[in-house]
Amino acid sequence: MIFDFRFRPPYEEFLNLGIFEPPCFTLPPFSYHAVETPSARKQDMSLFFSEMTEAGICGGVLVPRALPGESVSNECVKKFCEEYPGHGIVAFGGINVSLGIAAAVDELEKCISYGFKGIAMEPGDFIPSMKADDARLYPVYERCERMGLPVVVTLSLWQGTDLSYSAPDSLMHVAEDFPGLQIVAAHACYPWIMQAVAAVVKYPNIWLIPDMYLYNPYTPGREMFIQAIQWLNGENILFGTAYPCYDMRQAVEDFMKLDLTQEQREKIFYKNAYKILSLE
């Protein structure tokens, strides 16, 4: 069983994101190990679900993007789930705090009314850029903690104006202030691999999705992710393909090549995700 904790489908408003025009798997550094992904190239949902099935993925978390100038509305996310039931899709809502705290909280309440199971934010790309522990994000964290909604925060070298925005220090502050909140770091704070693992050890409510930075054999430092999985015995690590930046079938194939135990694979493939999302 495989559960993909982070993907963005070739559907309506998602196609306006920069990751589809052109598909980001065609661009360096992702292209150095990429295979052709027809569903992303042709922007075809039928092919997307065929590739998902071929990869052995039984479901996943649809993670929108909510940024100034590049955004997927939560209405679009809701429409996707209504149009494609029966595929094991868990919807998260996108929150853009650039619009102000009041507007962000109102949008969060809308996501709750839609029945979304979590929230996603990319604070480094807000205007102005914010770190994960920015006080302006705290009302969102507080409401999500009370509602039992996990929060995906994207942290990597691509977010923010410098590498400090991807460092896990800010996540540790949030984890300290909201111990009941499950905080998921998409892209696993790359390139701060050792520091991110240390954050997980200290704060068990922090989870990492290393996605393409773990699967791609050309990624500098990825051996530390593999060592971390072994050190943690698979705890607090989630499988996410980051589609369309990585082909779903290729992600599963590359993950299976890693020197891990069956127990560790099962935790990362689905057990950890099911624990966060309270799925059976």
Side-chain angles (χ1 to χ4, degrees), residues 1-250:
M1 189 180 299
I2 304 173
F3 187 88
D4 183 352
F5 211 95
R6 188 174 185 271
F7 72 88
R8 289 168 172 149
Y11 177 80
E12 293 194 358
E13 293 176 20
F14 285 90
L15 294 173
N16 297 325
L17 302 179
I19 54 176
F20 278 104
E21 286 294 345
C24 62
F25 73 85
T26 65
L27 304 174
F30 311 116
S31 59
Y32 298 146
H33 181 64
V35 299
E36 179 67 21
T37 304
S39 62
R41 179 87 72 176
K42 298 179 181 180
Q43 303 181 352
D44 188 305
M45 282 302 303
S46 295
L47 286 174
F48 171 80
F49 284 120
S50 295
E51 291 167 4
M52 184 176 170
T53 300
E54 188 178 342
I57 294 172
C58 64
V61 173
L62 188 158
V63 180
R65 169 167 284 170
L67 294 175
E70 188 177 27
S71 189
V72 175
S73 70
N74 290 309
E75 288 75 17
C76 179
V77 173
K78 181 174 180 286
K79 181 182 177 185
F80 175 92
C81 293
E82 292 170 346
E83 190 170 338
Y84 295 103
H87 292 281
I89 306 302
V90 176
F92 275 35
I95 301 296
N96 178 8
V97 182
S98 304
L99 301 175
I101 296 173
V105 172
D106 286 347
E107 194 66 23
L108 173 56
E109 294 300 327
K110 182 192 297 182
C111 292
I112 293 171
S113 72
Y114 287 165
F116 292 170
K117 301 302 182 184
I119 294 299
M121 296 191 293
E122 302 184 40
D125 287 337
F126 290 162
I127 298 176
S129 293
M130 303 177 195
K131 294 183 180 179
D133 60 353
D134 193 293
R136 288 166 288 189
L137 307 181
Y138 269 47
V140 175
Y141 294 140
E142 189 275 335
R143 182 68 169 130
C144 287
E145 183 182 45
R146 284 196 290 119
M147 292 299 297
L149 299 176
V151 177
V152 172
V153 182
T154 301
L155 296 176
S156 78
L157 74 161
W158 303 105
Q159 276 69 45
T161 54
D162 58 57
L163 286 178
S164 68
Y165 285 86
S166 61
D169 307 56
S170 59
L171 281 190
M172 296 174 74
H173 300 154
V174 177
E176 177 76 24
D177 292 339
F178 300 96
L181 178 67
Q182 303 306 311
I183 309 158
V184 180
H187 297 329
C189 306
Y190 188 84
W192 304 91
I193 302 174
M194 190 177 298
Q195 292 86 346
V197 174
V200 166
V201 171
K202 188 170 182 180
Y203 294 99
N205 57 326
I206 295 178
W207 304 75
L208 305 177
I209 311 177
D211 49 68
M212 53 204 177
Y213 299 103
L214 169 63
Y215 315 141
N216 192 323
Y218 297 111
T219 302
R222 79 157 186 155
E223 295 80 9
M224 284 191 284
F225 277 133
I226 299 171
Q227 292 171 340
I229 292 170
Q230 294 167 337
W231 194 37
L232 297 168
N233 195 30
E235 299 290 344
N236 290 74
I237 308 293
L238 299 163
F239 179 83
T241 62
Y243 174 98
C245 294
Y246 214 90
D247 183 271
M248 291 180 285
R249 299 158 299 178
Q250 184 184 23

